Amino acid sequence: MSFTRRTFLIGAGSGVSLLVLTACTIDPKPDPSPTPTRTTTGLVPAPAAMERSAWGDDTLARGSVSYMAVGSTMEHREALGSALIDRVFFAGEATSTTNPGTVLGAQLTGNRAADEVTAASDPSERIAIIGAGAAGAEAARVLALRGFDVVVIEARKRVGGRVATVVATDWPFPVELGAWRLSPVTDGDVIAALEQLDVSTVSLDGAAQVFRSPTGETDSDPVSSTAMSTALQWAQGQQRDQSLDDSLDQSGALQTASEYSSGEVLGDELLLQHLASLATIYGADGSELSSWFTVDDTQPSTLVTGGMTRVVAESLEGVETFLSTTVVGVSYNERRVSLRLGTGESLSVDRAIVTVPLGVLQHDGIDFDPLLPFSHRTAIASLGMGTVDAVWLRFDEPFWTTDAVIWNLVGTDDLVTTWFNLEPLTGEPVLVGLVGGDDATRFELLNDDELTAALRETLAPFAS
Ligand SMILES: Cc1cc2nc3c(=O)[nH]c(=O)nc-3n(C[C@H](O)[C@H](O)[C@H](O)COP(=O)(O)OP(=O)(O)OC[C@H]3O[C@@H](n4cnc5c(N)ncnc54)[C@H](O)[C@@H]3O)c2cc1C
């Protein structure tokens, strides 16, 4: 089963079907309108600046984060992270079994790969690290500290990978198009590193949120987390893994949620927005996410406002790093590793750590010779690569009146329904929208003008 905003409501039971049908009824005799109707876009001024990501379309990422697809297991992540005859090692968020899909998870795998290399070699060896993201940078930092001769090869003209900070004069602070949200509970080490580097963050502790539908609003959502935990708990007792959507449906959680309403906001609309918000973390919809391994964690926490890339760049201080250099092939035997570069040159090293994203491996971005073992190929095929995109909008002045920091749009077909209002936190009229899963794919198809127009419509319910 797969829920779209429309089928979800129809699938939720007869009462809700009725509601959808009622909403679609056309008034046979509309009143003539004396003045032209104002389009909602007119309520929201054009933004003074916009930055947006397109990770699905990025050939050096092919997505934003790895996720547990239905049927995948943690053994797949472990298999992906296992070394090839102690010559080629793997790191990167997708190989993390404890914190996949995060900066911390990537750093931990970089650390693990550095330990594996250390155990297999002696410090006079030359080690190549493919990729200058959080995993590659951490592996490089540790190995350089241990005296290895380290070279980092990065295809982009910048370091950071999916940590992607944009610094521009028309923005009051750095814009983050990649990782940006951290949890004080699980990401304590990253937050501590940012503090040490004097990189500013803002806390979302106690930040107000609002759930606004075209017909009303509420400031709390007491149903969707309960529905999710009911479904996930129910799924644990099933013979096989299945999608989150199926578990919500078959456990009865969807039906229970659909019986709730608060003001004009309905329980199943809240649940649908909860799934959209989850998609901004995993990059996948409920129809794709495993019920056995998905953790329902949409709780916002700390936002980085002082430039997240610093944590990666700092680790690479003093390490030989080649930018704009793509590795297209990795050949290995029991004595050496040879890297074929996009330029046609090759580089021979003692060992290599591959940290390219799962999406790149899924798209055969690197040729391995000999072929990767079956366990690696199974892992690459089984794990999911999801897409999350961000859009940052700066306005000359706020057009909104709410002080809420987290805005959720419910009961709409809009693409971007999860928003952060940075004005109460920073004093700057900046809104950040996040979108994940299929909506992110559609988001990337819009050009800047189309996206701006769509977002001005989307944000109209917040205009004073
Ligand atoms: C929009 C978005 C939001 C996110 N939000 C959060 C968040 O809030 N909190 C959080 O903790 N995490 C978040 N993440 C996830 C986090 O960014 C990643 O888990 C982490 O940065 C991955 O690091 P990595 O080193 O594994 O991979 P990457 O950062 O992707 O590094 C791999 C590097 O390899 C390079 N590369 C690829 N192919 C080649 C090649 N053939 N040759 C040479 N180099 C190559 C790439 O350019 C890249 O620099 C988010 C990610 C995205 C995209």
Side-chain angles (χ1 to χ4, degrees):
M1 181 162 196
S2 162
F3 303 141
T4 63
R5 291 207 172 94
R6 284 179 208 290
T7 61
F8 185 87
L9 294 180
I10 289 164
S14 56
V16 183
S17 309
L18 200 72
L19 180 119
V20 171
L21 291 175
T22 311
C24 291
T25 305
I26 296 166
D27 185 345
K29 278 187 272 165
D31 287 334
S33 104
T35 49
T37 315
R38 194 176 172 196
T39 68
T40 49
T41 306
L43 301 172
V44 176
M50 177 172 82
E51 291 286 344
R52 61 185 289 197
S53 65
W55 291 102
D57 203 31
D58 182 327
T59 55
L60 299 173
R62 301 280 191 184
S64 308
V65 279
S66 68
Y67 67 88
M68 300 302 291
V70 180
S72 62
T73 66
M74 285 300 167
E75 282 70 38
H76 288 128
R77 293 195 183 276
E78 220 169 277
L80 186 61
S82 57
L84 311 177
I85 54 168
D86 273 352
R87 286 287 154 191
V88 179
F89 298 78
F90 288 85
E93 59 83 9
T95 70
S96 169
T97 51
T98 53
N99 308 71
T102 66
V103 171
L104 180 69
Q107 287 178 334
L108 291 174
T109 63
N111 216 285
R112 188 247 310 135
D115 281 348
E116 289 170 357
V117 167
T118 308
S121 49
D122 69 75
S124 63
E125 291 190 2
R126 184 148 170 86
I127 315 292
I129 296 172
I130 306 171
E138 177 62 8
R141 183 188 71 80
V142 173
L143 289 173
L145 215 60
R146 291 179 185 164
F148 285 91
D149 177 11
V150 179
V151 56
V152 175
I153 300 166
E154 167 56 53
R156 297 180 200 273
K157 52 181 189 221
R158 60 166 182 86
V159 302
R162 283 171 279 166
V163 171
T165 308
V166 176
V167 178
T169 48
D170 52 351
W171 286 88
F173 41 74
V175 166
E176 300 293 348
L177 295 180
W180 179 55
R181 293 183 281 184
L182 298 168
S183 153
V185 181
T186 51
D187 297 320
D189 288 352
V190 182
I191 294 173
L194 287 164
E195 262 166 27
Q196 235 176 9
L197 294 169
D198 263 343
V199 172
S200 53
T201 58
V202 287
S203 168
L204 291 178
D205 256 3
Q209 56 176 331
V210 65
F211 300 83
R212 195 165 284 191
S213 84
T215 49
E217 77 168 50
T218 174
D219 59 6
S220 67
D221 166 10
V223 285
S224 66
S225 294
T226 310
M228 292 291 286
S229 61
T230 303
L232 293 175
Q233 235 171 353
W234 175 87
Q236 293 301 317
Q238 300 308 303
Q239 186 70 23
R240 322 197 151 74
D241 189 14
Q242 56 190 330
S243 76
L244 199 48
D245 282 358
D246 281 343
S247 296
L248 280 164
D249 184 38
Q250 290 168 32
S251 65
L254 170 59
Q255 182 62 41
T256 307
S258 74
E259 283 154 15
Y260 173 88
S261 74
S262 162
E264 301 295 323
V265 180
L266 304 173
D268 39 20
E269 292 176 346
L270 289 170
L271 180 52
L272 198 53
Q273 170 53 14
H274 192 104
L275 285 166
S277 174
L278 205 60
T280 71
I281 290 164
Y282 290 113
D285 297 316
S287 57
E288 292 160 319
L289 290 170
S290 153
S291 294
W292 278 354
F293 294 103
T294 297
V295 179
D296 178 33
D297 183 12
T298 56
Q299 285 312 307
S301 41
T302 296
L303 305 179
V304 181
T305 49
M308 184 85 177
T309 302
R310 286 277 307 284
V311 273
V312 178
E314 190 71 13
S315 299
L316 289 169
E317 247 341 273
V319 176
E320 187 181 17
T321 304
F322 289 95
L323 296 178
S324 306
T325 307
T326 307
V327 173
V328 294
V330 174
S331 312
Y332 57 99
N333 59 32
E334 265 150 31
R335 282 168 294 111
R336 300 288 292 171
V337 178
S338 171
L339 307 182
R340 196 154 39 86
L341 307 181
T343 54
E345 296 159 293
S346 55
L347 180 73
S348 177
V349 290
D350 292 294
R351 297 169 211 270
I353 302 178
V354 178
T355 76
V356 303
L358 172 67
V360 170
L361 297 173
Q362 286 176 334
H363 283 79
D364 300 326
I366 295 181
D367 274 337
F368 288 88
D369 180 18
L371 205 62
L372 286 177
F374 186 67
S375 54
H376 281 74
R377 283 179 277 142
T378 311
I380 291 166
S382 304
L383 294 165
M385 188 69 184
T387 305
V388 179
D389 278 313
V391 56
W392 287 57
L393 302 176
R394 181 175 67 74
F395 294 89
D396 288 328
E397 53 187 43
F399 61 83
W400 53 92
T401 49
T402 177
D403 280 340
V405 172
I406 303 153
W407 299 355
N408 296 280
L409 275 151
V410 299
T412 75
D413 276 337
D414 292 290
L415 287 180
V416 187
T417 56
T418 303
W419 289 88
F420 291 87
N421 167 17
L422 299 193
E423 207 248 340
L425 303 172
T426 65
E428 298 290 345
V430 172
L431 300 178
V432 183
L434 296 177
V435 58
D438 278 353
D439 284 346
T441 308
R442 286 198 287 277
F443 168 97
E444 291 189 13
L445 290 175
L446 300 179
N447 67 33
D448 283 0
D449 288 344
E450 290 165 340
L451 181 63
T452 308
L455 295 180
R456 289 174 72 192
E457 293 282 349
T458 295
L459 291 167
F462 294 96
S464 42

